[in-house]
Amino acid sequence: MKRRLCLHAAVAASLCLAVLPAAAQEAKPWIHIHVAEGGDSPKNIRVNLPLSVVGVALEVAPEKIVEEGRVKMINTDISIADVRRLWTTLRNAGDSEFVNVEDDGQHVSIVREADLLLIKVDDLKDGKEAKVRVEIPVKVVDALFATEGEELDIAGALDRLHSERGDIIRVIDGDTNVRIWIDETASSS
Amino acid sequence: MSRLQQALLAAVAVVLLLLASLHFVVVRVHEREPDGMKIWLPLPIELAQATLWFVPDYEKHFDIDTARVERYRPLAQVLWEGLEDVDEVELVRVNEGDRTVVIRKAGADIEINVQTDREEVKVRLSMRTLQGLVDCFDEGRFDTAGALSALKHSSGPMVHVNGLNTEVSLTIW
């Protein structure tokens, strides 16, 4: 009986040893970007990269765009400071619909569902369908607004994305499809 | 067998062994025309390296604007580390009109393929060679000797350009 127990323990231990390194390898997140454009000159772009590369890409990006992982939003109609204040108020409200606007064939809604912030834009203007779906974890938005003034903390948001899996952004705009997602596989098929 | 014959055989064997231990960059140019140029030129890397011993130090390094490459070196480093555990992966694929660009990791190599209706370009380099080449850009200078050493970490077809009338290839042996 004791021998049998030892044998089972040995088998279990060797199985764990065999599986653990593989699991450790798979834990590395990969970001996948797929852009498909139809129309007269169709275009198809697929990018698969370890997520760690994106963080370093930000660090080496020209300082005009990113400084210490922070993006300064200038010449925009939206005040980041105002959006940050709004977010701070809304994030504590729990699951709710923050924005719901229907106007001239356009429907914009921003909803918080559990730990996700869902932004949906449906545009049926001029008979051309455009859909934008953005799913951002609340903690990523928190990290994005962790700075002050007219800055967004992209590096901080990327840090939080390391633990996320699944679709981040989906855009269907007429003939154009964009999908950005994170998983633990290198290929995007 | 006379002593002279033995000595000759030994000399031939030594030369063959020496040649076998060398790394060659073989340049092949083939113009597909009746009087087209046909070149097949093996260049021993070690010979090029040996030649550099006689070149003054300031001539071995090209003063060029390396800032851009140096800036992206940490990115390359993280990319190598991220790809270490992956055997085969397509990193980038762009299909646009008649042009297809694919960058992929295949084993220990990085492959870049660009294909159009008129031309096909294939580049295949080992990750170690690429790392070595990136390291050659340092403090505003390009290290030629380092680049030659880096090439020795690759083997097989390195560059292959197949145009409408011309075929050019660089192979490392």
Side-chain angles (χ1 to χ4, degrees):
Chain A
M1 182 70 184
K2 223 175 181 181
R3 237 168 114 184
R4 214 161 158 192
L5 208 68
C6 281
L7 189 72
H8 284 165
V11 170
S14 49
L15 272 174
C16 280
L17 283 173
V19 168
L20 274 176
Q25 274 182 17
E26 280 169 19
K28 278 186 185 171
W30 282 69
I31 188 161
H32 308 280
I33 302 165
H34 184 201
V35 181
E37 271 182 31
D40 296 336
S41 52
K43 200 188 279 182
N44 202 336
I45 300 168
R46 279 179 187 274
V47 178
N48 309 300
L49 286 172
L51 191 59
S52 51
V53 172
V54 183
V56 183
L58 269 179
E59 283 170 28
V60 298
E63 278 160 23
K64 277 181 204 165
I65 305 167
V66 184
E67 205 174 341
E68 292 177 2
R70 293 171 179 186
V71 175
K72 204 169 258 179
M73 306 293 278
I74 40 172
N75 302 326
T76 56
D77 294 334
I78 308 161
S79 160
I80 299 299
D82 287 348
V83 178
R84 182 184 294 108
R85 268 196 294 277
L86 187 68
W87 172 245
T88 314
T89 315
L90 295 174
R91 78 173 306 285
N92 299 320
D95 285 7
S96 56
E97 191 166 41
F98 302 148
V99 178
N100 192 341
V101 181
E102 276 188 66
D103 178 36
D104 194 21
Q106 202 179 40
H107 182 210
V108 179
S109 95
I110 303 176
V111 182
R112 178 176 172 175
E113 275 180 21
D115 293 332
L116 284 176
L117 182 73
L118 310 172
I119 302 167
K120 294 179 188 175
V121 181
D122 292 302
D123 195 344
L124 283 163
K125 259 192 224 166
D126 309 323
K128 201 179 168 191
E129 192 187 21
K131 275 184 183 180
V132 178
R133 297 285 181 271
V134 182
E135 289 183 17
I136 316 176
V138 169
K139 58 183 181 180
V140 175
V141 186
D142 282 341
L144 205 61
F145 289 127
T147 49
E148 287 177 3
E150 294 299 305
E151 283 183 351
L152 289 174
D153 188 357
I154 304 288
L158 268 172
D159 250 11
R160 299 289 171 96
L161 278 178
H162 274 265
S163 56
E164 296 304 319
R165 302 292 179 265
D167 282 4
I168 304 293
I169 296 175
R170 254 180 189 276
V171 179
I172 302 164
D173 182 4
D175 292 333
T176 306
N177 276 271
V178 179
R179 185 182 170 212
I180 301 176
W181 74 103
I182 295 171
D183 62 21
E184 290 166 6
T185 53
S187 61
S188 64
S189 50
Chain B
M1 193 183 287
S2 71
R3 284 198 166 183
L4 181 68
Q5 282 174 320
Q6 280 177 353
L8 273 172
L9 266 177
V12 169
V14 166
V15 169
L16 283 175
L17 273 173
L18 197 69
L19 284 174
S21 65
L22 291 176
H23 294 82
F24 289 88
V25 174
V26 181
V27 183
R28 189 175 157 265
V29 181
H30 182 199
E31 285 183 346
R32 293 189 206 95
E33 282 162 12
D35 299 322
M37 185 169 47
K38 283 184 178 61
I39 298 172
W40 187 84
L41 184 64
L43 300 163
I45 297 175
E46 282 80 1
L47 190 67
Q49 282 180 312
T51 313
L52 282 176
W53 292 341
F54 304 102
V55 176
D57 206 34
Y58 62 88
E59 294 276 4
K60 277 188 225 172
H61 297 88
F62 294 106
D63 287 332
I64 53 171
D65 181 18
T66 59
R68 192 171 285 184
V69 180
E70 283 179 49
R71 187 184 180 96
Y72 290 101
R73 189 182 291 162
L75 187 65
Q77 192 57 44
V78 173
L79 187 62
W80 308 147
E81 285 167 11
L83 297 178
E84 245 170 17
D85 303 331
V86 188
D87 193 41
E88 213 152 293
V89 62
E90 197 170 86
L91 297 166
V92 178
R93 173 178 284 269
V94 180
N95 296 103
E96 189 182 8
D98 71 326
R99 190 173 53 169
T100 302
V101 179
V102 178
I103 302 174
R104 57 193 294 270
K105 186 193 177 212
D109 296 338
I110 290 284
E111 284 181 4
I112 302 167
N113 285 6
V114 181
Q115 198 166 359
T116 66
D117 285 348
R118 302 167 59 83
E119 198 174 53
E120 189 181 6
V121 179
K122 286 183 183 182
V123 178
R124 188 181 175 120
L125 285 169
S126 77
M127 298 270 283
R128 280 188 71 187
T129 296
L130 270 172
Q131 268 177 295
L133 289 174
V134 169
D135 288 343
C136 289
F137 294 89
D138 198 22
E139 292 175 3
R141 307 174 92 191
F142 181 75
D143 177 12
T144 320
L148 287 169
S149 291
L151 286 180
K152 290 198 276 188
H153 295 305
S154 285
S155 67
M158 184 169 67
V159 180
H160 186 231
V161 182
N162 198 0
L164 283 178
N165 299 316
T166 313
E167 195 179 343
V168 178
S169 70
L170 290 178
T171 307
I172 298 189
W173 279 5

